[in-house]
């Protein structure tokens, strides 16, 4: 598996500096629900410290962890794509500090600076490709475990 793409370090310095002008420092206590699947995706975060779990609600009483995120990781990409709703839920697994970005402000900056927009979309695409690869690996592991237990 390839190494995780860290959004801020993957962007060219000039674009990273412009993006960081829009950053707001936030924190979430352990067990805080950061967002729920189906909610409005109007922001995203870059985790500075702590751990976040992404989960999928599979029944009204059961949810499954689909990914764990930590320092440097991008939290939230649904703000880039219609219908701008979260595909998963996210919960702080430990106290979390993060940079928060307002999606509309970032999108406006991308229109103003197309190079930043292209760099940002490419980097988010790399993050998504990496997460898809991780998910594929987990599914294969689960398949092998279930196959051996038959």
């Amino acid at each position: 598996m390839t190494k995780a793409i860290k959004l801020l370090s993957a962007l060219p310095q000039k674009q990273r500096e412009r993006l960081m002008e829009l950053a707001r420092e936030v924190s979430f206590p352990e067990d805080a629900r950061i967002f729920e699947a189906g909610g409005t995706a109007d922001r995203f975060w870059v985790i500075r410290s702590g751990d976040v779990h992404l989960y999928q609600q599979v029944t009204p009483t059961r949810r499954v962890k689909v990914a764990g995120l930590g320092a440097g990781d991008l939290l939230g990409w649904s703000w880039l794509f219609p219908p701008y709703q979260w595909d998963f839920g996210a919960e702080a697994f430990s106290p979390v500090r993060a940079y928060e970005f307002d999606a509309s402000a970032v999108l406006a900056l991308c229109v103003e600076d197309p190079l930043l927009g292209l760099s940002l979309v490419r980097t988010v695409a790399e993050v998504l490709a990496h997460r898809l690869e991780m998910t594929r690996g987990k599914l294969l592991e689960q398949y092998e475990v279930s196959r051996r237990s038959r």
Side-chain angles (χ1 to χ4, degrees):
M1 254 182 228
T2 60
K3 185 178 175 191
I5 304 298
K6 305 299 183 183
L7 179 71
L8 295 177
S9 59
L11 288 174
Q13 182 177 347
K14 183 178 177 185
Q15 282 76 35
R16 181 174 53 247
E17 289 171 359
R18 292 209 63 200
L19 181 64
M20 287 305 295
E21 291 173 8
L22 302 177
R24 182 173 81 96
E25 292 187 31
V26 297
S27 60
F28 302 99
E30 183 175 351
D31 297 328
R33 295 229 175 140
I34 300 169
F35 56 81
E36 296 287 343
T40 302
D42 60 356
R43 65 198 67 239
F44 67 95
W45 300 265
V46 173
I47 300 169
R48 296 176 59 212
S49 65
D51 296 299
V52 173
H53 287 177
L54 297 179
Y55 61 87
Q56 182 69 55
Q57 198 76 36
V58 292
T59 69
T61 59
R62 184 167 179 260
R63 57 188 182 159
V64 175
K65 176 185 168 187
V66 294
L69 305 176
D73 286 332
L74 170 67
L75 173 59
W77 50 264
S78 298
W79 60 276
L80 265 176
F81 307 103
Y84 309 107
Q85 293 181 324
W86 301 118
D87 290 313
F88 302 102
E91 185 173 316
F93 188 69
S94 68
V96 171
R97 292 179 31 217
Y99 294 118
E100 182 178 84
F101 298 87
D102 177 86
S104 59
V106 172
L107 291 170
L109 180 61
C110 290
V111 169
E112 177 187 316
D113 183 347
L115 184 58
L116 184 141
L118 180 61
S119 296
L120 186 62
V121 169
R122 281 185 173 166
T123 303
V124 170
E126 288 182 49
V127 169
L128 294 176
H130 173 74
R131 291 195 187 155
L132 180 59
E133 183 181 325
M134 287 184 356
T135 301
R136 186 180 309 129
K138 286 182 182 182
L139 289 172
L140 288 172
E141 286 174 17
Q142 289 179 0
Y143 171 76
E144 288 299 320
V145 167
S146 69
R147 203 178 85 161
R148 281 182 280 208
S149 65
R150 291 183 192 163

